[in-house]
Amino acid sequence: MPNSLVHLIQTDQLHKDLINILAEKADELRELNESRDGRLQLKSMLSDKRAILFFEQPSTRTFFSFANACHILGMSVTDCRDNTASSQAKGESIEDTIHTFANYVDLCVIRHSQNEAINKALHVVEAFDLSTRLVNAGNGDRDHPTQALLDVYTLIRHYKGDLKGKTVTVVGDLARGRAAKAFIKILMQYEPEVSLQLVSTSAYRLDPKFRREFVPESTSCHETSDFESALQSADVLYMTRMQNEWGGDSQAAFQLMNRHLATMKKDASILHPLPRREEILPDVDHDERALYWEQEKNGLWIRCALLLKIFGVEIN
Ligand code: CP
């Protein structure tokens, strides 16, 4: 598998060797950031590059962590977040919008509600032999590769790279959650080391077609709606919110509360791609197993590592 990366379009591109390279790079970058000299060195790394962040859907952490990753590495950044302010509002196609961005910048980070948007972008870049790099910052209800990357980076840091024997329990709206799906996909790089538990109500279970495509039959994968029992065996608990921007229920069926913590393993870890609503109550935040704020911070550094990898820049 190649360790170079031109565009990051889908989670399947992130194989184990590449993940490890990016995780090591991210650790080095955050260490450099500890000193003023290091920060100046970081700032010079991509100072000849320009980026546009094209976010057609709302975002807090993906948008601002990419914006700040670009700033840390010295890139110039512009953004397009208001759907009424670009010529998309006049009926311009995604292909033409991306073609236009590609004429101005070296990198285009794209979040879009349409599952096909990122592939349309790739198609136009390849068809016109454009040098602009593309990164998928979340497409439709299917994929979110940089989220998957930061999630697994969090586990690598927390467990010092050893995920052997871990039961990873993914909870919530598995039908529409792109973060949950991307996380499940990237975990398959660690198969058969990890086992999966999928916790959802029957209305929001993982699409069996997705499971057939991305979860090998040999994987230990248990589906249940018994949240309280699943908590007890979880080494990693990955909570997600209801994705009611696609319609349907907004109220979470499962809610992690302080009273549950005593039933969980002492060395378990609790992750959430965020934003959260009521599925993790704020009083859980102070438990040492709650890693989601750290997970969010890890997103900044793994995205810095990703940008360097995409532009083929090494840390000297
Ligand atoms: N996890 C995630 O994608 O969050 P944002 O929507 O805030 O970017």
Side-chain angles (χ1 to χ4, degrees):
M1 291 288 247
N3 288 331
S4 60
L5 194 67
V6 177
H7 309 288
L8 179 57
I9 304 298
Q10 54 192 30
T11 299
D12 317 39
Q13 290 171 263
L14 298 167
H15 59 85
K16 207 168 173 180
D17 286 350
L18 183 55
I19 295 166
N20 287 334
I21 288 169
L22 291 171
E24 270 175 37
K25 212 182 265 271
D27 285 348
E28 282 178 57
L29 294 171
R30 63 205 301 170
E31 210 175 303
L32 272 178
N33 191 56
E34 295 291 306
S35 70
R36 183 178 152 74
D37 282 352
R39 286 193 289 276
L40 291 174
Q41 188 185 339
L42 288 169
K43 195 108 188 118
S44 68
M45 286 179 179
L46 293 178
S47 56
D48 60 334
K49 304 285 187 231
R50 293 185 307 278
I52 188 153
L53 309 183
F54 175 38
F55 277 56
E56 183 257 359
Q57 280 186 304
S59 167
T60 300
R61 53 210 46 75
T62 312
F63 178 86
F64 287 104
S65 64
F66 264 117
N68 282 286
C70 289
H71 293 152
I72 287 168
L73 299 171
M75 294 180 82
S76 308
V77 189
T78 45
D79 66 70
C80 178
R81 302 191 79 182
D82 176 356
N83 301 332
T84 62
S86 81
S87 287
Q88 292 258 298
K90 299 177 210 159
E92 185 170 64
S93 66
I94 290 170
E95 286 89 339
D96 286 0
T97 300
I98 298 300
H99 199 153
T100 304
F101 291 154
N103 280 332
Y104 304 143
V105 295
D106 305 288
L107 168 73
C108 193
V109 179
I110 304 170
R111 168 167 291 193
H112 209 282
S113 55
Q114 290 182 24
N115 279 317
E116 300 72 28
I118 192 71
N119 283 317
K120 287 180 178 174
L122 181 63
H123 177 76
V124 76
V125 162
E126 288 182 345
F128 288 88
D129 203 16
L130 305 170
S131 60
T132 297
R133 305 318 205 222
L134 301 173
V135 172
N136 180 353
N139 68 302
D141 62 356
R142 262 189 220 160
D143 207 358
H144 195 348
T146 65
Q147 180 67 48
L149 187 57
L150 77 89
D151 294 341
V152 86
Y153 174 47
T154 301
L155 296 182
I156 289 170
R157 275 174 73 79
H158 189 71
Y159 295 110
K160 304 197 174 7
D162 184 8
L163 303 186
K164 207 165 181 184
K166 302 283 181 241
T167 297
V168 182
T169 302
V170 187
V171 181
D173 184 348
L174 309 184
R176 288 109 34 105
R178 62 188 171 205
K181 286 181 196 147
F183 184 53
I184 291 167
K185 279 195 219 173
I186 209 164
L187 281 175
M188 292 304 98
Q189 292 295 323
Y190 299 86
E191 195 272 335
E193 292 168 52
V194 297
S195 321
L196 273 183
Q197 277 196 110
L198 306 178
V199 183
S200 66
T201 58
S202 57
Y204 294 102
R205 65 185 285 238
L206 190 68
D207 180 356
K209 206 166 135 224
F210 175 95
R211 182 170 165 174
R212 278 197 301 279
E213 190 173 348
F214 294 106
V215 181
E217 273 190 31
S218 56
T219 307
S220 165
C221 179
H222 171 60
E223 290 192 54
T224 179
S225 55
D226 184 351
F227 177 57
E228 304 227 348
S229 297
L231 282 182
Q232 293 167 29
S233 53
D235 294 295
V236 177
L237 179 68
Y238 190 92
M239 299 293 294
T240 65
R241 72 176 169 87
M242 293 302 287
Q243 309 283 316
N244 60 299
E245 57 268 47
W246 307 107
D249 299 326
S250 60
Q251 188 70 30
F254 310 108
Q255 190 172 49
L256 186 68
M257 303 177 197
N258 207 277
R259 72 173 173 84
H260 290 124
L261 295 173
T263 70
M264 291 182 65
K265 292 187 181 180
K266 296 266 175 295
D267 58 354
S269 53
I270 304 168
L271 277 71
H272 192 307
L274 303 177
R276 68 161 158 200
R277 291 200 296 242
E278 70 286 355
E279 61 281 352
I280 300 183
L281 295 192
D283 60 0
V284 173
D285 294 9
H286 299 287
D287 190 277
E288 61 179 18
R289 290 165 288 186
L291 300 188
Y292 31 91
W293 295 114
E294 186 60 32
Q295 178 187 357
E296 179 181 82
K297 197 194 292 180
N298 291 338
L300 176 67
W301 295 106
I302 202 76
R303 286 179 172 123
C304 284
L306 175 71
L307 295 180
L308 290 182
K309 173 54 82 181
I310 277 176
F311 287 109
V313 172
E314 293 299 331
I315 307 168
N316 296 314

